Amino acid sequence: MRRELDPDELIEHWTVLPDEQALIQAKRGENRMGFALLLKFYIQRGRFPRRRSEIPAEAVDHGARQVGAPAGDVDAYYY
């Protein structure tokens, strides 16, 4: 069972930095949300997620707020 991320972990590992924001904003639609999460995951683990379930729900919500996209956009990106 996956544990919830605490606020410090969320900020440290899943906050989009200004230089990353420029890369993300160049994307459109679901690609913006998917790219943001893949980028942050890759920075942390040195690989891309094998499946959507590897990305914590809190990180998806946090990412959605940062890029101004619905959290559900990530689901469309993975299908």
Side-chain angles (χ1 to χ4, degrees):
M1 180 171 235
R2 182 177 286 262
R3 68 174 182 77
E4 289 187 22
L5 295 175
D6 69 45
D8 290 336
E9 289 176 304
L10 196 59
I11 291 167
E12 180 180 352
H13 298 294
W14 293 97
T15 296
V16 174
L17 302 175
D19 59 328
E20 297 166 344
Q21 190 66 257
L23 295 171
I24 294 163
Q25 292 304 318
K27 309 297 181 223
R28 296 184 185 267
E30 293 95 12
N31 290 334
R32 182 176 293 171
M33 184 66 178
F35 182 82
L37 293 171
L38 289 177
L39 178 63
K40 298 310 291 186
F41 190 96
Y42 187 84
I43 289 168
Q44 287 178 61
R45 300 197 184 166
R47 67 173 179 84
F48 294 108
R50 292 179 192 94
R51 57 193 157 280
R52 159 68 180 87
S53 62
E54 286 189 83
I55 301 172
E58 304 94 336
V60 173
D61 292 338
H62 185 67
R65 287 189 299 274
Q66 293 178 84
V67 302
D73 277 3
V74 73
D75 294 328
Y77 188 78
Y78 275 91
Y79 291 102

